[in-house]
Protein backbone atom coordinates (compact mmCIF):
# COMPACT_ATOMS: atom_id res chain seq x y z
CA UNK A 1 0.00 0.00 0.00
CA UNK A 2 1.18 3.52 -0.78
CA UNK A 3 0.67 6.43 1.62
CA UNK A 4 -0.01 9.66 -0.24
CA UNK A 5 0.03 12.67 2.06
CA UNK A 6 -1.77 15.72 0.65
CA UNK A 7 -3.47 13.25 -1.70
CA UNK A 8 -6.74 15.15 -2.03
CA UNK A 9 -4.93 18.27 -3.29
CA UNK A 10 -4.15 19.22 -6.87
CA UNK A 11 -1.07 17.17 -7.81
CA UNK A 12 -1.73 14.55 -5.13
CA UNK A 13 -5.20 13.70 -6.46
CA UNK A 14 -3.92 13.17 -10.01
CA UNK A 15 -1.16 10.95 -8.64
CA UNK A 16 -3.62 8.93 -6.53
CA UNK A 17 -5.60 8.33 -9.72
CA UNK A 18 -2.50 7.09 -11.56
CA UNK A 19 -1.49 4.85 -8.63
CA UNK A 20 -4.97 3.28 -8.43
CA UNK A 21 -5.00 2.71 -12.18
CA UNK A 22 -1.57 1.07 -11.91
CA UNK A 23 -3.05 -1.39 -9.40
CA UNK A 24 -1.70 0.04 -6.14
CA UNK A 25 -3.76 0.33 -3.00
CA UNK A 26 -3.58 3.85 -1.63
CA UNK A 27 -4.08 5.54 1.73
CA UNK A 28 -4.53 9.31 1.57
CA UNK A 29 -3.67 11.41 4.62
CA UNK A 30 -4.78 15.02 4.26
CA UNK A 31 -5.85 17.67 6.76
CA UNK A 32 -8.09 19.27 4.07
CA UNK A 33 -6.57 22.70 4.76
CA UNK A 34 -6.47 23.34 1.00
CA UNK A 35 -8.61 20.62 -0.56
CA UNK A 36 -11.78 18.63 -0.32
CA UNK A 37 -12.61 14.93 -0.39
CA UNK A 38 -14.75 15.56 -3.46
CA UNK A 39 -11.56 15.02 -5.49
CA UNK A 40 -11.32 11.50 -4.07
CA UNK A 41 -14.99 10.79 -4.82
CA UNK A 42 -14.38 11.89 -8.40
CA UNK A 43 -11.33 9.63 -8.63
CA UNK A 44 -13.50 6.71 -7.51
CA UNK A 45 -16.00 7.59 -10.27
CA UNK A 46 -13.23 7.68 -12.90
CA UNK A 47 -11.28 4.61 -11.82
CA UNK A 48 -13.92 2.44 -10.14
CA UNK A 49 -11.41 2.15 -7.27
CA UNK A 50 -11.30 3.87 -3.90
CA UNK A 51 -8.39 5.17 -1.88
CA UNK A 52 -8.66 4.90 1.91
CA UNK A 53 -9.01 8.44 3.27
CA UNK A 54 -7.75 9.56 6.68
CA UNK A 55 -8.33 13.13 7.71
CA UNK A 56 -5.29 14.25 9.64
CA UNK A 57 -2.04 16.13 9.77
CA UNK A 58 1.49 14.98 8.95
CA UNK A 59 2.58 16.70 12.18
CA UNK A 60 0.40 14.37 14.26
CA UNK A 61 2.90 11.71 15.34
CA UNK A 62 0.37 9.54 17.22
CA UNK A 63 -1.88 9.44 14.17
CA UNK A 64 1.07 8.52 11.93
CA UNK A 65 2.15 5.70 14.27
CA UNK A 66 -1.38 4.28 14.20
CA UNK A 67 -1.52 4.61 10.42
CA UNK A 68 1.76 2.73 9.95
CA UNK A 69 0.59 0.01 12.33
CA UNK A 70 -2.88 -0.30 10.71
CA UNK A 71 -1.67 -0.42 7.09
CA UNK A 72 1.25 -2.18 5.47
CA UNK A 73 2.85 0.84 3.78
CA UNK A 74 5.63 0.21 1.23
CA UNK A 75 6.33 3.76 0.21
CA UNK A 76 5.26 7.33 1.00
CA UNK A 77 4.68 10.14 -1.51
CA UNK A 78 4.60 13.44 0.37
CA UNK A 79 2.58 16.25 -1.21
CA UNK A 80 1.32 17.67 2.09
CA UNK A 81 2.44 21.21 2.65
CA UNK A 82 1.64 24.87 2.25
CA UNK A 83 2.55 26.29 -1.16
CA UNK A 84 1.63 29.97 -1.56
CA UNK A 85 4.84 31.92 -2.12
CA UNK A 86 3.34 35.32 -1.21
CA UNK A 87 1.60 34.05 1.92
CA UNK A 88 4.84 32.42 3.08
CA UNK A 89 6.53 35.82 3.34
CA UNK A 90 3.74 36.95 5.70
CA UNK A 91 3.51 33.73 7.71
CA UNK A 92 6.98 32.20 7.62
CA UNK A 93 6.55 30.24 10.84
CA UNK A 94 3.40 28.56 9.55
CA UNK A 95 5.36 27.48 6.46
CA UNK A 96 8.37 26.12 8.35
CA UNK A 97 6.04 24.48 10.89
CA UNK A 98 3.92 22.75 8.29
CA UNK A 99 6.48 21.94 5.63
CA UNK A 100 9.74 21.36 7.51
CA UNK A 101 8.49 20.18 10.90
CA UNK A 102 5.78 18.22 9.07
CA UNK A 103 8.32 16.43 6.86
CA UNK A 104 10.56 15.65 9.88
CA UNK A 105 7.65 14.23 11.87
CA UNK A 106 6.60 12.08 8.94
CA UNK A 107 10.17 10.85 8.33
CA UNK A 108 10.62 10.01 12.03
CA UNK A 109 7.40 8.00 12.05
CA UNK A 110 8.46 6.24 8.84
CA UNK A 111 11.89 5.47 10.29
CA UNK A 112 10.39 3.94 13.42
CA UNK A 113 7.94 1.92 11.33
CA UNK A 114 10.77 0.72 9.06
CA UNK A 115 9.21 2.32 5.96
CA UNK A 116 12.15 3.90 4.15
CA UNK A 117 10.96 4.78 0.67
CA UNK A 118 10.03 8.45 0.20
CA UNK A 119 9.07 10.60 -2.79
CA UNK A 120 9.19 14.32 -2.17
CA UNK A 121 7.55 17.26 -4.03
CA UNK A 122 10.27 19.81 -4.48
CA UNK A 123 10.43 22.70 -6.89
CA UNK A 124 12.65 24.38 -9.46
CA UNK A 125 12.68 27.30 -7.02
CA UNK A 126 15.59 25.61 -5.18
CA UNK A 127 18.00 26.44 -8.00
CA UNK A 128 20.21 29.49 -7.69
CA UNK A 129 20.42 32.03 -10.48
CA UNK A 130 22.64 30.17 -12.91
CA UNK A 131 24.16 31.69 -16.06
CA UNK A 132 21.87 29.45 -18.10
CA UNK A 133 18.06 29.37 -18.51
CA UNK A 134 18.13 25.59 -18.78
CA UNK A 135 18.34 23.92 -15.38
CA UNK A 136 20.11 20.60 -14.93
CA UNK A 137 20.08 18.71 -11.62
CA UNK A 138 23.85 19.21 -11.24
CA UNK A 139 23.53 22.98 -11.04
CA UNK A 140 24.04 24.28 -7.52
CA UNK A 141 21.03 25.11 -5.41
CA UNK A 142 20.79 28.76 -4.50
CA UNK A 143 18.99 31.05 -2.13
CA UNK A 144 15.25 30.80 -2.77
CA UNK A 145 13.60 34.18 -2.40
CA UNK A 146 10.70 33.11 -0.15
CA UNK A 147 10.18 31.11 3.05
CA UNK A 148 8.20 28.65 0.89
CA UNK A 149 11.20 28.11 -1.39
CA UNK A 150 13.56 27.88 1.57
CA UNK A 151 11.33 25.26 3.21
CA UNK A 152 11.71 23.11 0.07
CA UNK A 153 15.49 23.53 0.05
CA UNK A 154 15.71 22.75 3.78
CA UNK A 155 13.75 19.54 3.31
CA UNK A 156 16.02 18.54 0.40
CA UNK A 157 19.05 19.03 2.68
CA UNK A 158 17.39 17.06 5.49
CA UNK A 159 16.67 14.22 3.06
CA UNK A 160 20.30 14.15 1.89
CA UNK A 161 21.52 14.02 5.49
CA UNK A 162 19.05 11.27 6.32
CA UNK A 163 20.07 9.14 3.37
CA UNK A 164 23.77 9.67 4.14
CA UNK A 165 23.18 8.56 7.73
CA UNK A 166 21.30 5.41 6.73
CA UNK A 167 21.76 3.84 3.31
CA UNK A 168 18.50 1.88 3.63
CA UNK A 169 16.59 5.05 2.80
CA UNK A 170 15.42 5.31 -0.80
CA UNK A 171 14.54 8.88 -1.61
CA UNK A 172 13.34 10.63 -4.76
CA UNK A 173 13.41 14.43 -4.80
CA UNK A 174 11.26 15.64 -7.67
CA UNK A 175 11.84 19.22 -8.78
CA UNK A 176 8.69 20.37 -10.53
CA UNK A 177 8.72 23.19 -13.02
CA UNK A 178 5.24 24.75 -13.58
CA UNK A 179 2.45 22.19 -13.10
CA UNK A 180 -0.76 22.98 -14.99
CA UNK A 181 -3.73 21.19 -16.54
CA UNK A 182 -6.23 18.69 -15.29
CA UNK A 183 -7.29 15.10 -15.85
CA UNK A 184 -8.75 14.59 -19.34
CA UNK A 185 -12.16 13.70 -17.87
CA UNK A 186 -12.65 17.27 -16.63
CA UNK A 187 -13.67 15.80 -13.24
CA UNK A 188 -10.57 16.64 -11.21
CA UNK A 189 -8.32 19.67 -11.45
CA UNK A 190 -6.78 22.58 -9.60
CA UNK A 191 -9.09 24.19 -7.06
CA UNK A 192 -7.44 27.38 -5.82
CA UNK A 193 -9.06 29.20 -2.92
CA UNK A 194 -9.60 32.94 -3.40
CA UNK A 195 -7.97 34.81 -6.25
CA UNK A 196 -5.38 32.56 -7.91
CA UNK A 197 -1.71 33.52 -7.82
CA UNK A 198 -0.58 31.25 -10.64
CA UNK A 199 -0.92 32.10 -14.29
CA UNK A 200 -3.13 29.36 -15.68
CA UNK A 201 -5.78 29.31 -12.92
CA UNK A 202 -5.92 33.09 -13.30
CA UNK A 203 -6.35 32.92 -17.09
CA UNK A 204 -9.04 30.26 -16.77
CA UNK A 205 -11.00 32.38 -14.27
CA UNK A 206 -10.81 35.32 -16.69
CA UNK A 207 -12.02 32.99 -19.46
CA UNK A 208 -15.06 31.94 -17.42
CA UNK A 209 -15.86 35.54 -16.45
CA UNK A 210 -15.03 35.34 -12.74
CA UNK A 211 -12.16 37.81 -13.11
CA UNK A 212 -12.22 40.83 -15.46
CA UNK A 213 -8.75 40.59 -17.01
CA UNK A 214 -5.28 39.14 -16.59
CA UNK A 215 -2.40 41.30 -15.45
CA UNK A 216 0.62 40.32 -17.54
CA UNK A 217 3.52 40.93 -15.20
CA UNK A 218 6.11 42.68 -17.36
CA UNK A 219 6.53 42.95 -21.15
CA UNK A 220 10.11 44.23 -21.11
CA UNK A 221 11.97 40.98 -20.41
CA UNK A 222 14.70 39.82 -22.74
CA UNK A 223 12.46 37.26 -24.49
CA UNK A 224 11.01 37.25 -28.03
CA UNK A 225 7.69 38.91 -27.04
CA UNK A 226 8.99 40.59 -23.87
CA UNK A 227 6.92 38.47 -21.46
CA UNK A 228 8.45 35.93 -19.08
CA UNK A 229 8.87 32.31 -20.12
CA UNK A 230 8.29 29.17 -18.04
CA UNK A 231 8.31 25.41 -18.52
CA UNK A 232 4.66 24.35 -18.01
CA UNK A 233 4.09 20.64 -17.41
CA UNK A 234 0.78 18.79 -17.58
CA UNK A 235 -0.24 17.45 -14.18
CA UNK A 236 -0.94 13.99 -15.65
CA UNK A 237 2.64 13.77 -16.94
CA UNK A 238 3.76 14.85 -13.48
CA UNK A 239 1.56 12.22 -11.83
CA UNK A 240 3.02 9.49 -14.10
CA UNK A 241 6.51 10.64 -13.10
CA UNK A 242 5.69 10.01 -9.42
CA UNK A 243 4.72 6.45 -10.20
CA UNK A 244 7.90 5.95 -12.25
CA UNK A 245 10.11 7.55 -9.58
CA UNK A 246 8.56 5.50 -6.78
CA UNK A 247 8.97 2.26 -8.74
CA UNK A 248 12.55 3.17 -9.66
CA UNK A 249 13.76 3.89 -6.14
CA UNK A 250 12.04 0.81 -4.74
CA UNK A 251 14.11 -1.32 -7.16
CA UNK A 252 17.46 0.19 -6.17
CA UNK A 253 19.88 -2.20 -4.55
CA UNK A 254 21.31 0.11 -1.90
CA UNK A 255 24.37 -2.11 -1.51
CA UNK A 256 25.73 -0.86 -4.86
CA UNK A 257 23.99 2.40 -5.60
CA UNK A 258 23.10 5.62 -3.85
CA UNK A 259 19.40 5.79 -3.28
CA UNK A 260 19.14 9.57 -3.14
CA UNK A 261 17.84 10.63 -6.54
CA UNK A 262 16.97 14.08 -7.81
CA UNK A 263 14.95 14.44 -10.99
CA UNK A 264 13.74 17.58 -12.78
CA UNK A 265 10.20 17.28 -14.09
CA UNK A 266 9.42 19.61 -16.97
CA UNK A 267 8.96 19.46 -20.72
CA UNK A 268 12.10 21.39 -21.63
CA UNK A 269 9.97 23.73 -23.78
CA UNK A 270 9.31 27.17 -22.31
CA UNK A 271 6.36 29.37 -23.30
CA UNK A 272 5.80 33.08 -22.70
CA UNK A 273 2.84 34.54 -20.83
CA UNK A 274 1.39 35.86 -24.10
CA UNK A 275 1.84 32.46 -25.78
CA UNK A 276 -0.10 30.95 -22.88
CA UNK A 277 -2.89 33.48 -23.33
CA UNK A 278 -3.08 32.78 -27.07
CA UNK A 279 -3.11 28.99 -26.53
CA UNK A 280 -5.90 29.36 -23.97
CA UNK A 281 -7.92 31.49 -26.40
CA UNK A 282 -7.59 28.68 -28.96
CA UNK A 283 -8.84 26.15 -26.39
CA UNK A 284 -11.81 28.14 -25.08
CA UNK A 285 -12.77 29.79 -28.36
CA UNK A 286 -12.88 33.40 -27.22
CA UNK A 287 -10.58 36.29 -26.36
CA UNK A 288 -8.93 36.62 -22.95
CA UNK A 289 -8.68 40.23 -21.79
CA UNK A 290 -5.31 41.24 -20.44
CA UNK A 291 -3.40 44.36 -19.44
CA UNK A 292 0.33 44.82 -19.24
CA UNK A 293 1.33 45.42 -15.61
CA UNK A 294 4.70 46.01 -13.91
CA UNK A 295 7.03 43.07 -13.38
CA UNK A 296 6.23 40.97 -10.29
CA UNK A 297 8.95 41.14 -7.62
CA UNK A 298 11.23 38.12 -7.61
CA UNK A 299 10.29 36.93 -11.14
CA UNK A 300 13.02 36.10 -13.64
CA UNK A 301 12.85 36.28 -17.44
CA UNK A 302 13.06 32.63 -18.37
CA UNK A 303 13.80 29.17 -17.11
CA UNK A 304 13.08 25.63 -18.18
CA UNK A 305 14.06 22.09 -17.33
CA UNK A 306 16.74 19.90 -18.73
CA UNK A 307 14.71 16.75 -18.05
CA UNK A 308 17.16 14.37 -19.75
CA UNK A 309 18.09 12.65 -16.48
CA UNK A 310 14.49 11.59 -15.83
CA UNK A 311 14.37 10.29 -19.39
CA UNK A 312 17.62 8.35 -19.02
CA UNK A 313 16.97 6.95 -15.54
CA UNK A 314 13.18 6.62 -15.41
CA UNK A 315 12.33 6.32 -19.10
CA UNK A 316 9.95 9.23 -18.40
CA UNK A 317 9.26 12.17 -20.67
CA UNK A 318 6.33 14.56 -20.77
CA UNK A 319 3.90 13.36 -23.44
CA UNK A 320 1.27 16.08 -23.31
CA UNK A 321 1.73 19.40 -25.08
CA UNK A 322 0.45 22.94 -24.73
CA UNK A 323 -2.93 22.32 -26.40
CA UNK A 324 -3.60 19.36 -24.03
CA UNK A 325 -2.74 21.56 -21.04
CA UNK A 326 -5.12 24.27 -22.19
CA UNK A 327 -7.98 22.06 -23.37
CA UNK A 328 -7.92 19.96 -20.20
CA UNK A 329 -7.80 23.06 -17.99
CA UNK A 330 -10.71 24.57 -19.89
CA UNK A 331 -12.77 21.34 -19.66
CA UNK A 332 -12.21 21.23 -15.89
CA UNK A 333 -12.91 24.96 -15.42
CA UNK A 334 -16.01 25.10 -17.61
CA UNK A 335 -17.50 21.90 -16.13
CA UNK A 336 -16.71 23.06 -12.59
CA UNK A 337 -16.89 26.88 -12.54
CA UNK A 338 -16.63 26.86 -8.74
CA UNK A 339 -14.18 23.98 -8.52
CA UNK A 340 -15.27 21.59 -5.78
CA UNK A 341 -16.25 24.46 -3.50
CA UNK A 342 -20.01 24.35 -3.92
CA UNK A 343 -19.89 20.63 -3.11
CA UNK A 344 -17.97 21.02 0.13
CA UNK A 345 -19.35 19.18 3.10
P1 LIG B 1 -2.34 21.53 -2.81
O1 LIG B 1 -2.46 22.61 -1.79
O2 LIG B 1 -3.45 21.36 -3.79
O3 LIG B 1 -2.06 20.13 -2.09
C1 LIG B 1 -1.43 20.03 -0.83
C2 LIG B 1 -2.35 19.19 0.03
O4 LIG B 1 -1.73 19.00 1.30
C3 LIG B 1 -3.70 19.82 0.28
O5 LIG B 1 -4.69 18.86 0.01
C4 LIG B 1 -3.68 20.22 1.77
O6 LIG B 1 -4.97 20.14 2.34
C5 LIG B 1 -2.72 19.19 2.31
N1 LIG B 1 -1.97 19.60 3.51
C6 LIG B 1 -1.32 20.77 3.73
N2 LIG B 1 -0.68 20.75 4.92
C7 LIG B 1 -0.93 19.52 5.45
C8 LIG B 1 -0.54 18.88 6.65
N3 LIG B 1 0.24 19.51 7.55
N4 LIG B 1 -0.96 17.62 6.88
C9 LIG B 1 -1.74 16.98 5.98
N5 LIG B 1 -2.16 17.53 4.84
C10 LIG B 1 -1.74 18.79 4.56
O7 LIG B 1 -0.95 21.78 -3.58
P2 LIG B 1 -0.34 21.07 -4.87
O8 LIG B 1 -0.24 22.11 -5.94
O9 LIG B 1 -1.02 19.79 -5.15
O10 LIG B 1 1.14 20.82 -4.37
C11 LIG B 1 1.54 19.58 -3.81
C12 LIG B 1 2.98 19.67 -3.39
O11 LIG B 1 3.77 20.01 -4.53
C13 LIG B 1 3.24 20.76 -2.34
O12 LIG B 1 4.20 20.27 -1.44
C14 LIG B 1 3.81 21.89 -3.16
O13 LIG B 1 4.66 22.70 -2.41
C15 LIG B 1 4.58 21.13 -4.24
N6 LIG B 1 4.76 21.92 -5.46
C16 LIG B 1 3.67 22.46 -6.09
C17 LIG B 1 3.86 23.24 -7.23
C18 LIG B 1 2.67 23.86 -7.92
O14 LIG B 1 2.88 24.77 -8.74
N7 LIG B 1 1.44 23.42 -7.69
C19 LIG B 1 5.16 23.46 -7.73
C20 LIG B 1 6.24 22.88 -7.06
C21 LIG B 1 6.04 22.11 -5.91
N1 LIG C 1 2.03 35.76 -14.37
C1 LIG C 1 1.35 36.85 -14.90
N2 LIG C 1 0.13 37.19 -14.36
C2 LIG C 1 -0.44 36.49 -13.33
C3 LIG C 1 0.26 35.38 -12.80
C4 LIG C 1 1.49 35.04 -13.34
O1 LIG C 1 1.83 37.50 -15.84
O2 LIG C 1 -1.53 36.87 -12.87
C5 LIG C 1 3.33 35.36 -14.94
C6 LIG C 1 4.47 35.41 -13.92
O3 LIG C 1 5.04 36.68 -13.90
C7 LIG C 1 5.40 34.33 -14.48
C8 LIG C 1 4.47 33.32 -15.14
O4 LIG C 1 3.22 34.02 -15.36
O5 LIG C 1 6.22 34.87 -15.48
C9 LIG C 1 4.19 32.09 -14.28
O6 LIG C 1 3.80 32.53 -12.98
P1 LIG C 1 3.26 31.52 -11.89
O7 LIG C 1 2.95 32.32 -10.66
O8 LIG C 1 2.17 30.68 -12.46
O9 LIG C 1 4.49 30.54 -11.64
P2 LIG C 1 6.01 30.82 -11.14
O10 LIG C 1 6.87 30.54 -12.33
O11 LIG C 1 6.10 32.22 -10.66
O12 LIG C 1 6.19 29.80 -10.08
Amino acid sequence: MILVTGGSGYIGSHTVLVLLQAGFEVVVLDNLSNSSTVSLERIAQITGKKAVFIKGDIRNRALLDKLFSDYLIESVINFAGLKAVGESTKKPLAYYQCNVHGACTLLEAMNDAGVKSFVFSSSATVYGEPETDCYHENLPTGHPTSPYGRSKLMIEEILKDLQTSDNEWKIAILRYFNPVGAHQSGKIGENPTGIPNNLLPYISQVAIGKLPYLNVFGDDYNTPDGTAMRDYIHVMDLAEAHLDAMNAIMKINTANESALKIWNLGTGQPYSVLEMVKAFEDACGHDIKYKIAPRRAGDIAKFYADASLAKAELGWTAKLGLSDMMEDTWRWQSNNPNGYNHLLK
Side-chain angles (χ1 to χ4, degrees):
M1 228 167 176
I2 311 302
L3 171 61
V4 181
T5 73
S8 54
Y10 173 42
I11 305 168
S13 59
H14 290 79
T15 304
V16 168
L17 184 148
V18 164
L19 289 168
L20 290 171
Q21 284 182 330
F24 285 97
E25 291 184 292
V26 176
V27 184
V28 169
L29 174 68
D30 199 301
N31 67 5
L32 301 181
S33 60
N34 197 37
S35 60
S36 106
T37 53
V38 180
S39 60
L40 301 176
E41 290 165 18
R42 297 274 179 92
I43 290 169
Q45 287 171 20
I46 299 166
T47 62
K49 295 175 181 178
K50 268 193 155 181
V52 176
F53 176 70
I54 297 171
K55 183 175 176 194
D57 199 293
I58 56 167
R59 291 163 290 184
N60 183 340
R61 180 61 202 268
L63 175 71
L64 290 171
D65 288 344
K66 177 157 174 21
L67 194 158
F68 284 112
S69 107
D70 287 351
Y71 300 96
L72 194 59
I73 305 292
E74 293 164 78
S75 188
V76 176
I77 307 182
N78 181 33
F79 295 101
L82 300 175
K83 63 161 185 176
V85 175
E87 183 188 58
S88 78
T89 62
K90 297 188 186 84
K91 298 181 181 170
L93 292 177
Y95 273 68
Y96 293 123
Q97 238 295 324
C98 183
N99 296 1
V100 183
H101 173 63
C104 289
T105 309
L106 176 59
L107 290 163
E108 279 172 344
M110 288 177 66
N111 198 56
D112 289 356
V115 179
K116 295 186 177 178
S117 166
F118 190 72
V119 179
F120 176 61
S121 304
S122 191
S123 163
T125 190
V126 300
Y127 287 108
E129 288 190 18
E131 299 289 296
T132 169
D133 304 325
C134 177
Y135 293 4
H136 185 271
E137 293 85 347
N138 285 340
L139 286 171
T141 53
H143 304 281
T145 49
S146 70
Y148 165 73
R150 281 191 279 279
S151 77
K152 291 290 170 194
L153 186 53
M154 284 177 194
I155 298 167
E156 285 203 5
E157 298 296 320
I158 289 167
L159 291 172
K160 288 177 194 166
D161 287 340
L162 178 62
Q163 208 279 331
T164 306
S165 74
D166 175 356
N167 195 38
E168 284 179 9
W169 276 93
K170 299 175 173 187
I171 296 173
I173 292 173
L174 304 182
R175 292 182 179 157
Y176 311 160
F177 281 65
N178 287 58
V180 296
H183 186 255
Q184 289 77 1
S185 63
K187 286 179 182 287
I188 59 170
E190 190 167 8
N191 187 41
T193 43
I195 295 178
N197 297 306
N198 294 113
L199 179 64
L200 204 52
Y202 205 106
I203 293 180
S204 54
Q205 293 203 7
V206 173
I208 202 134
K210 284 173 92 174
L211 294 168
Y213 59 87
L214 170 74
N215 283 304
V216 173
F217 297 141
D219 68 347
D220 56 353
Y221 286 106
N222 184 19
T223 60
D225 67 18
T227 65
M229 300 179 80
R230 297 286 181 274
D231 182 340
Y232 297 93
I233 172 168
H234 196 295
V235 67
M236 288 306 295
D237 278 329
L238 199 56
E240 296 282 352
H242 286 75
L243 173 64
D244 294 345
M246 183 188 77
N247 282 334
I249 58 170
M250 291 211 288
K251 280 194 208 120
I252 291 175
N253 178 350
T254 51
N256 341 312
E257 196 185 341
S258 160
L260 187 287
K261 298 287 183 183
I262 302 178
W263 288 299
N264 278 345
L265 299 176
T267 64
Q269 168 67 60
Y271 291 105
S272 75
V273 176
L274 290 181
E275 285 173 322
M276 295 294 280
V277 170
K278 170 77 179 65
F280 205 92
E281 289 175 340
D282 291 344
C284 75
H286 60 82
D287 286 354
I288 308 286
K289 286 203 183 77
Y290 68 86
K291 292 186 182 173
I292 304 298
R295 290 182 180 194
R296 187 172 65 179
D299 277 355
I300 59 173
K302 180 178 180 184
F303 64 85
Y304 58 100
D306 174 340
S308 54
L309 194 65
K311 183 173 185 187
E313 295 188 346
L314 298 176
W316 173 91
T317 46
K319 297 185 191 74
L320 299 167
L322 191 58
S323 57
D324 303 298
M325 299 178 204
M326 300 306 179
E327 284 160 20
D328 294 337
T329 302
W330 180 237
R331 192 174 305 110
W332 155 250
Q333 180 72 71
S334 47
N335 289 351
N336 304 272
N338 297 310
Y340 305 121
N341 300 340
H342 65 298
L343 300 164
L344 286 188
K345 293 167 195 158

